[in-house]
Amino acid sequence: MEKKPKYLWKYVNPNKYQLHVTNSKPTTKSEDSDEKIVYMEDLEKRKQVYGICGECNEPGTGERWCQPCNAKRFKDNFKNWTSRNKVIDEFIQKSQLNSVHHEKYLEWIPFEKFQNITYIAEGGFGKVYSAGWSEGHIKYWDIENQIWCRDNWDKYALKSLNDSSDISSNFLNEITSHLQIYLYDVINCYGITQHPDTKEYMMVLNFCNKGNLRNYINKSKKYISYKTKIGYLQKIARGLSDIHNAEKVHKDFHSGNILIMGSPYISDLGMCQPASKQTAKEEGIYGVLPYMAPEVLRGRQYTKASDVYSFGTIMNEFLSEEIPYNDIPHDQFLAIKICNGLRPDISKDIPKLLVDLIIKCWDAEIENRPTAKELYQLLTKWNNELQNVKNVEDRKSNEICSQVDEYDEIGEKKFKSRSNEDDKSKNIQTHPQAIYTSRLLNFNNLPKPVNSSTFQFDSANPVSVQLDESDLDEFWQQ
């Protein structure tokens, strides 16, 4: 009797190793990272982390994943499926042949395999639905039983892109970005399907049951502590750092593209492109104005520093729980004000260390802004101190702990004084011309970006700068 192959895969502890893979080859984060790194090109290290494939006796390339063995399995199955679109078929096949991890491959998923399809929302570039998928996505190959072992979420998200029935480079670009960027903190894409009526292609993604960051803030029935918020911001910064490590920029970074599923995840990578190949389109720029850096509003190229400016606005929105510029039109006048130094109000209830970091992200000079990696490292340091410093006296002498403890006490009292049954979103009066979905913007003759000289950044007072109509008239006459 033939002896069955042994199951030899080792469990991967993500807290011990920071694993980074793309669908081209195993790789790692940069060598100067402070985190523990496993160099995947090193066969002995791969054995330690991933174990050995019970079929070919070679080190795995991912968690319970053997790229050569699984590539052969996928290839043998090519004849059993088709999207009836040569471009899509070849795109999916390439992902399967090159996949070094179970979250970095794609499947063609016939639309009839989804159940309970429900419309969720429409953004600037397409629609999002929720759906059940009882079969679920591939997790690993069961060596003993010689079948794919699948896992399934309660719900998946189906995301279409407008006009994708005529397959577009934007659609494929977003999927490619999902495949190329670090495993954690970025939404996973499991495959592609096609709506039988509209013929639009749809990505099959993680469904985040708590919606986007703004919904999470508005719907929370509990006080969200600064300790929790710093932990979330650390993960968002890590995701942004991984996008930048892949030499890409997000280009559409705002709270609507931060989704919550236990932890925050960065989504909507459709605008995400190589940082070295960015050019401003002649017809204008796409984005959500309150989150866009002043140099981008002036038509300059998107850079990693532009994403960091957006992170500062997301950070302030999360900490202050206020939507930026919700009471004014998002028009050329606002763009002028931003270039002249206007920034969203910063609540007096935010600890000074956090205020200082927000302000650095908002600096008009891009070289003065921190990098995403620096944001991640600093937020990680603060998060670790908040988690690990337990002694009361030690917390009082620790700068971040003492500030967070003080402001959490104030914030919790204020939260309890409000009715927990109230939906905070119902109390927000948003101007009818305040638009928070991505759209085409085209501003001309904007002034050179500066930091406002009319106020000092002071956490004791909300940060703002006002320009009246006479200021604008003076600008137009220049």
Side-chain angles (χ1 to χ4, degrees), residues 409-447:
E409 185 177 354
I410 295 170
E412 196 155 10
K413 287 179 180 177
K414 287 187 176 181
F415 186 87
K416 288 179 178 178
S417 69
R418 301 196 303 263
S419 170
N420 287 342
E421 299 302 318
D422 288 343
D423 184 343
K424 284 180 272 186
S425 63
K426 295 177 182 177
N427 300 322
I428 298 173
Q429 299 298 318
T430 302
H431 194 283
Q433 296 178 46
I435 301 171
Y436 293 94
T437 55
S438 295
R439 59 189 173 123
L440 180 65
L441 301 170
N442 192 352
F443 301 129
N444 298 313
N445 302 317
L446 295 184

Side-chain angles (χ1 to χ4, degrees), residues 8-58:
L8 296 173
W9 299 112
K10 288 184 67 176
Y11 172 71
V12 177
N13 180 353
N15 295 320
K16 183 177 181 182
Y17 299 107
Q18 284 291 343
L19 309 179
H20 176 87
V21 299
T22 71
N23 75 334
S24 56
K25 68 173 185 176
T27 183
T28 64
K29 287 193 169 186
S30 57
E31 295 185 18
D32 58 349
S33 172
D34 293 333
E35 300 168 351
K36 294 178 181 178
I37 295 176
V38 177
Y39 287 90
M40 298 305 168
E41 291 83 356
D42 188 320
L43 295 181
E44 290 304 315
K45 289 288 187 182
R46 274 170 46 195
K47 288 179 184 178
Q48 293 173 27
V49 178
Y50 296 132
I52 301 192
C53 174
E55 292 184 312
C56 69
N57 206 37
E58 292 294 323

Side-chain angles (χ1 to χ4, degrees), residues 137-392:
H137 57 278
I138 289 174
K139 193 79 171 179
Y140 60 90
W141 178 256
D142 184 334
I143 296 175
E144 183 175 356
N145 297 303
Q146 293 290 291
I147 58 172
W148 287 115
C149 180
R150 291 177 175 267
D151 194 6
N152 67 316
W153 304 103
D154 291 337
K155 291 181 181 179
Y156 290 82
L158 306 182
K159 178 185 174 183
S160 67
L161 284 188
N162 296 334
D163 302 319
S164 63
S165 56
D166 180 16
I167 200 68
S168 68
S169 59
N170 287 338
F171 183 84
L172 296 180
N173 178 65
E174 177 158 6
I175 298 175
T176 301
S177 295
H178 279 279
L179 293 175
Q180 289 179 339
I181 295 171
Y182 184 51
L183 293 176
Y184 305 115
D185 311 308
V186 175
I187 289 293
N188 289 323
C189 181
Y190 298 106
I192 305 173
T193 189
Q194 185 180 33
H195 196 289
D197 298 328
T198 66
K199 303 303 180 184
E200 288 187 338
Y201 291 98
M202 310 171 85
M203 291 182 290
V204 182
L205 308 160
N206 288 116
F207 176 78
C208 295
N209 57 353
K210 293 187 178 180
N212 62 38
L213 186 64
R214 189 176 304 138
N215 292 334
Y216 171 69
I217 295 169
N218 290 339
K219 300 293 183 181
S220 177
K221 300 297 183 183
K222 298 180 180 179
Y223 172 69
I224 308 173
S225 69
Y226 279 105
K227 181 178 178 180
T228 297
K229 289 179 177 179
I230 289 173
Y232 272 39
L233 289 167
Q234 176 218 14
K235 291 180 174 64
I236 297 169
R238 180 171 65 182
L240 184 61
S241 179
D242 293 326
I243 290 172
H244 290 178
N245 282 343
E247 292 305 319
K248 293 178 179 288
V249 289
H250 190 286
K251 293 182 63 181
D252 194 24
F253 203 41
H254 56 83
S255 62
N257 285 341
I258 306 296
L259 303 181
I260 309 298
M261 183 180 59
S263 292
Y265 293 87
I266 297 174
S267 69
D268 278 22
L269 304 179
M271 303 276 288
C272 194
Q273 296 180 9
S276 60
K277 296 182 180 180
Q278 293 305 303
T279 57
K281 294 183 178 180
E282 291 182 4
E283 67 270 22
I285 51 175
Y286 282 93
V288 180
L289 198 157
Y291 301 85
M292 299 172 71
E295 70 273 8
V296 174
L297 295 176
R298 296 188 76 226
R300 302 297 185 264
Q301 71 174 22
Y302 286 88
T303 64
K304 295 176 181 180
S306 305
D307 280 345
V308 168
Y309 179 98
S310 303
F311 179 89
T313 305
I314 293 169
M315 181 177 177
N316 183 56
E317 179 178 355
F318 192 24
L319 297 179
S320 68
E321 301 191 4
E322 298 290 342
I323 302 174
Y325 310 127
N326 69 292
D327 57 348
I328 57 176
H330 295 175
D331 55 15
Q332 180 141 340
F333 285 161
L334 176 56
I336 293 169
K337 293 178 182 181
I338 291 171
C339 288
N340 280 331
L342 177 69
R343 300 293 183 266
D345 291 349
I346 297 181
S347 170
K348 59 181 171 53
D349 294 330
I350 298 178
K352 186 178 185 305
L353 280 177
L354 300 177
V355 170
D356 292 342
L357 186 57
I358 293 169
I359 298 306
K360 288 179 181 178
C361 294
W362 282 344
D363 201 295
E365 299 293 334
I366 63 174
E367 62 270 15
N368 293 337
R369 297 173 197 163
T371 64
K373 178 182 175 181
E374 289 168 344
L375 287 171
Y376 171 57
Q377 289 175 331
L378 181 57
L379 289 164
T380 298
K381 175 179 179 294
W382 288 343
N383 187 53
N384 289 340
E385 290 172 0
L386 289 168
Q387 299 287 344
N388 298 325
V389 179
K390 304 294 186 182
N391 182 277
V392 175

